[in-house]
Amino acid sequence: MAIRILVIDDDQTVRSVLETFLQDEGYEVECVSDGQAAVSSYNPESFDIVLLDLVMPGMGGIDVLKEIRSRDSSACVIIVTAHGTIENAVEAMRLGAYDYITKPFRIEDVAAVLRRAAEFKRLRLENQELKRQLKGRFSFDRLIGDSPEMYKVFELIEKVSRSETTVLITGESGTGKEVVAKTIHYNSPREQKPFIPVNCGAIPYELLESELFGHEKGAFTGAVSTRMGRFEIAAGGTLFLDEIAEMSPQLQVKILRVLQEREFERVGGVKTIKADVRIIAATNKALETAIEEKSFREDLYYRLNVINISVPPLRDRVDDIPLLINYFVPIMCAKKKRENLIFSREAMNMLLSYSWPGNVRELENLVERLSVLKEDELVTPEDLPSRFFSGEPPVTPPVVETENGIYLNDLIEDFEKNLILKALRKTNGVKSKAAQYLNINRTTLIEKLKRLKLDEHVASRS
Ligand SMILES: Nc1ncnc2c1ncn2[C@@H]1O[C@H](COP(=O)(O)OP(=O)(O)OP(=O)(O)O)[C@@H](O)[C@H]1O
Ligand SMILES: [Mg+2]
């Protein structure tokens, strides 16, 4: 089915240029000259994308945008605005516009933005549908993700939640292993009973044993009264054994026994207690290596690893980065009682190509830091910590394959952009030096900066 586009612009020439071009490109197009008229006949069902002029007599673009978004919160609106009114475009982005194009525009730029928007719209509809199907029974409210990699995780969570199976969650630090464990618990029949986490790495062996199994009065010096351990406290619920690779060999034996026999004794106790807990374990270490090094028992590994959920690192699910930002920004900004941050396209591109060694935790911290330090709302590359510049981000953009194949021109443009940005970073924004580094003429570089819309960004640096 053809993508349907609504063009709202008071300029007759712009309307007819767009109409002819977009129809040639295979879109269905309707043009309206008046904001008020467009709004009153707007129906969320009839259009996929709206191209909206900001400056019009009568009802202005910003009001049209507000009105459309209030009726259709998923409307994909692209702003067309005269060069030099960038503040208005930022305002529009804050109100939920998808992107903006500056006038005078090159028709290829319009085509590129529209392709991205159409792909975005399609993915969003597809994911909404998937999420709706899963959400019928499951709640993933706190586990954000719209990438194919996370959908694999969602599907596994859905499978294991209803069962009692022991689950081993693996993944780098900060990828969200604990969030996954909680999601399993709160979607399981045990949801009304406690979710009890134990950090096996943080507590020394002697303490951890009594922490887990409890102790009888007088079991050791300092055991002045009988105390329940986490296994008993979690009765009916879920026990989350975090950083399992750090557990001492003695304790590994004891945990193995609980997993096999489903019973244990308190430290210094003789009474056998039934362990009515579901066990979820997590680690950011490769247990296979620990087994080879004989620091982790192989038999315990097989008991824990009945089902393995591997949470992918953030750099392998780049699609989730904008989504996570949209999730954390309102939370952090509300906490600081400030207006929401907006990320410029250049800043967002840097976040997309960064390697995120600290994964989602690092991203959450970045948003929090910016919500404290940034005075205005627009985040540009200059606001990002230096690690986003050093450590040579990959200059090759991820090749996104869509239903319609890959978009060679967009990819090449991004590639070119990244190389130019790299040169400018290396030369502190001095254009003549950057041109020298790239082995091109200064004038060629300046032309490219214009064409790739990098000139505003550079102007503020040199
Ligand atoms: N998919 C996600 N959606 C929303 N928040 C997330 C997601 N993944 C992680 N977070 C947040 O990132 C932070 C780190 O997550 P979490 O503690 O679950 O990571 P972890 O894998 O257990 O890390 P570690 O190995 O260091 O213990 C938390 O504040 C968590 O709320
Ligand atoms: Mg953790």
XYZ file of all heavy atoms in Angstrom, residues 141-145 150 171-180 240 242-243 282-284 311 317 324 327-328 360-362 364, ligand 1:
277
model
N 6.471 -2.881 31.119
C 6.477 -1.439 31.304
C 7.852 -0.865 31.626
O 8.175 0.241 31.262
C 5.520 -1.050 32.424
C 4.104 -1.432 32.053
O 3.881 -1.711 30.856
O 3.252 -1.468 32.942
N 8.644 -1.628 32.370
C 9.933 -1.097 32.786
C 11.092 -1.651 31.991
O 12.241 -1.328 32.242
C 10.162 -1.420 34.264
C 9.438 -0.469 35.153
C 9.087 -1.158 36.447
N 8.161 -0.337 37.190
C 8.542 0.707 37.917
N 9.803 1.012 38.008
N 7.639 1.423 38.548
N 10.783 -2.544 31.085
C 11.835 -3.130 30.261
C 11.650 -2.580 28.852
O 10.844 -3.066 28.078
C 11.717 -4.651 30.279
C 12.822 -5.428 29.584
C 14.178 -5.139 30.214
C 12.542 -6.921 29.659
N 12.400 -1.508 28.568
C 12.208 -0.803 27.310
C 13.005 -1.480 26.206
O 14.147 -1.881 26.416
C 12.680 0.656 27.454
C 12.000 1.316 28.653
C 12.425 1.452 26.194
C 10.508 1.332 28.608
N 12.425 -1.577 25.036
C 13.141 -2.141 23.906
C 12.194 -2.366 22.744
O 11.062 -2.787 22.937
N 15.784 -7.400 21.426
C 15.022 -7.388 22.673
C 13.726 -8.186 22.531
O 13.215 -8.722 23.511
C 14.732 -5.948 23.125
C 15.909 -5.278 23.796
S 16.630 -6.211 25.163
C 15.534 -5.808 26.510
N 24.870 -11.424 30.492
C 24.980 -10.178 29.731
C 25.972 -9.263 30.409
O 26.228 -9.399 31.613
N 26.509 -8.329 29.629
C 27.486 -7.383 30.165
C 26.872 -6.552 31.286
O 25.649 -6.489 31.422
C 27.931 -6.431 29.045
C 28.815 -7.082 28.022
C 29.170 -6.111 26.903
O 29.005 -4.888 27.071
O 29.616 -6.601 25.852
N 27.737 -5.905 32.035
C 27.287 -5.049 33.121
C 26.387 -3.921 32.588
O 26.703 -3.306 31.585
C 28.510 -4.455 33.809
O 28.088 -3.630 34.836
N 25.268 -3.704 33.277
C 24.393 -2.593 32.920
C 23.443 -2.859 31.773
O 22.772 -1.940 31.297
N 23.346 -4.107 31.320
C 22.455 -4.388 30.184
C 21.001 -4.552 30.622
O 20.104 -4.573 29.777
C 22.870 -5.678 29.445
O 23.152 -6.692 30.402
C 24.082 -5.448 28.575
N 20.766 -4.697 31.935
C 19.388 -4.808 32.404
C 19.019 -6.201 32.903
O 17.852 -6.584 32.871
N 20.011 -6.953 33.400
C 19.724 -8.314 33.860
C 18.737 -8.336 35.028
O 17.841 -9.169 35.082
C 21.033 -9.024 34.255
C 21.979 -9.214 33.068
C 23.217 -9.988 33.440
C 24.148 -9.236 34.377
N 24.696 -8.001 33.789
N 18.921 -7.374 35.940
C 18.012 -7.340 37.089
C 16.597 -6.950 36.659
O 15.614 -7.464 37.184
C 18.548 -6.379 38.162
C 17.712 -6.403 39.419
C 18.508 -6.031 40.677
O 19.741 -5.895 40.606
O 17.856 -5.885 41.728
N 16.507 -6.034 35.703
C 15.176 -5.652 35.200
C 14.493 -6.874 34.567
O 13.292 -7.094 34.748
C 15.267 -4.519 34.155
C 13.894 -3.926 33.896
C 16.218 -3.438 34.592
N 15.267 -7.674 33.833
C 14.709 -8.879 33.224
C 14.220 -9.839 34.310
O 13.107 -10.372 34.241
C 15.761 -9.572 32.310
C 15.295 -10.953 31.891
C 16.050 -8.719 31.089
N 16.655 -13.992 43.665
C 17.513 -13.573 42.550
C 18.963 -13.611 42.995
O 19.402 -12.773 43.786
C 17.100 -12.170 42.098
C 17.958 -11.612 40.994
C 18.188 -12.329 39.824
C 18.528 -10.344 41.113
C 18.986 -11.817 38.800
C 19.321 -9.816 40.101
C 19.547 -10.563 38.946
N 22.393 -12.768 42.275
C 23.096 -11.891 41.344
C 24.606 -12.122 41.466
O 25.095 -12.466 42.530
C 22.748 -10.435 41.679
C 22.953 -9.516 40.497
O 23.373 -9.991 39.430
O 22.682 -8.312 40.645
N 25.336 -11.904 40.375
C 26.794 -12.083 40.332
C 27.190 -13.454 40.864
O 28.046 -13.591 41.735
C 27.477 -10.969 41.115
C 27.134 -9.624 40.521
C 28.051 -8.516 41.001
O 29.200 -8.825 41.341
O 27.609 -7.369 41.025
N 22.098 -14.559 37.855
C 22.635 -13.669 36.818
C 24.139 -13.542 36.948
O 24.687 -13.688 38.036
C 21.992 -12.285 36.929
N 24.788 -13.300 35.830
C 26.229 -13.069 35.848
C 26.658 -12.264 34.630
O 26.044 -12.357 33.574
C 27.013 -14.397 35.855
O 28.407 -14.112 35.792
C 26.647 -15.285 34.676
N 27.703 -11.430 34.833
C 28.250 -10.743 33.663
C 29.592 -11.369 33.261
O 30.296 -10.858 32.405
C 28.395 -9.236 33.923
C 29.192 -8.931 35.164
O 30.024 -9.730 35.585
N 28.935 -7.782 35.763
N 21.127 -11.141 27.576
C 20.692 -9.766 27.284
C 21.771 -9.095 26.441
O 22.916 -8.985 26.873
C 20.465 -8.968 28.583
C 19.787 -7.640 28.274
C 19.619 -9.773 29.562
N 22.079 -3.191 19.735
C 20.663 -2.893 19.483
C 20.482 -1.381 19.450
O 19.794 -0.786 20.285
C 19.760 -3.554 20.524
C 20.295 -3.445 21.943
C 19.354 -4.123 22.939
N 20.009 -4.369 24.194
C 19.626 -3.821 25.350
N 18.589 -3.028 25.404
N 20.283 -4.092 26.457
N 15.256 4.479 24.608
C 15.665 4.557 26.011
C 15.834 6.013 26.417
O 15.506 6.400 27.538
C 16.965 3.782 26.226
C 16.782 2.260 26.300
C 18.098 1.547 26.025
C 16.219 1.833 27.649
N 12.651 7.448 27.120
C 12.124 6.905 28.366
C 12.758 7.601 29.578
O 12.069 7.997 30.515
C 12.386 5.395 28.397
C 12.078 4.705 29.704
C 10.756 4.484 30.112
C 13.108 4.241 30.531
C 10.478 3.832 31.304
C 12.827 3.589 31.720
C 11.514 3.384 32.106
O 11.246 2.739 33.288
N 14.082 7.797 29.537
C 14.769 8.367 30.697
C 14.611 9.889 30.788
O 14.583 10.431 31.887
C 16.263 8.013 30.679
C 16.545 6.566 30.975
C 17.305 5.786 30.116
C 16.041 5.965 32.131
C 17.564 4.445 30.387
C 16.297 4.622 32.418
C 17.056 3.863 31.540
N 23.058 0.180 29.283
C 21.916 1.048 29.609
C 22.191 1.894 30.855
O 21.777 3.045 30.944
C 20.631 0.219 29.802
C 19.444 1.131 30.054
C 20.376 -0.650 28.580
N 22.950 1.316 31.807
C 23.256 2.107 33.010
C 24.029 3.370 32.627
O 23.758 4.454 33.154
C 24.043 1.268 34.013
C 24.328 2.060 35.304
C 25.086 1.259 36.341
N 24.317 0.150 36.846
C 24.646 -1.126 36.670
N 25.723 -1.428 35.980
N 23.900 -2.073 37.176
N 24.962 3.244 31.700
C 25.759 4.394 31.264
C 24.868 5.438 30.589
O 25.016 6.638 30.819
C 26.860 3.919 30.301
C 27.812 5.029 29.903
C 28.903 4.545 28.936
O 28.894 3.366 28.544
O 29.744 5.384 28.576
N 21.628 5.852 31.097
C 20.784 6.434 32.148
C 21.573 7.517 32.900
O 21.064 8.617 33.138
C 20.359 5.309 33.107
C 19.336 5.711 34.129
C 18.914 4.526 35.006
O 19.461 3.399 34.854
O 18.030 4.727 35.853
N 15.639 -2.307 28.881
C 15.667 -1.420 29.889
N 14.640 -0.563 30.052
C 14.677 0.358 31.045
N 15.662 0.481 31.935
C 16.701 -0.353 31.834
C 16.755 -1.339 30.817
N 17.899 -2.017 30.940
C 18.526 -1.486 31.987
N 17.824 -0.484 32.540
C 18.253 0.361 33.680
O 19.664 0.401 33.640
C 20.220 0.216 34.930
C 21.056 -1.035 34.947
O 20.234 -2.177 34.830
P 20.447 -3.504 35.703
O 20.819 -3.160 37.110
O 19.299 -4.388 35.499
O 21.737 -4.054 34.938
P 22.571 -5.379 35.205
O 22.650 -6.090 33.906
O 22.001 -6.110 36.363
O 23.997 -4.774 35.541
P 25.181 -5.385 36.476
O 25.765 -6.550 35.747
O 26.150 -4.249 36.556
O 24.554 -5.739 37.773
C 19.050 0.172 35.879
O 18.830 1.454 36.428
C 17.887 -0.249 35.011
O 16.689 0.247 35.506
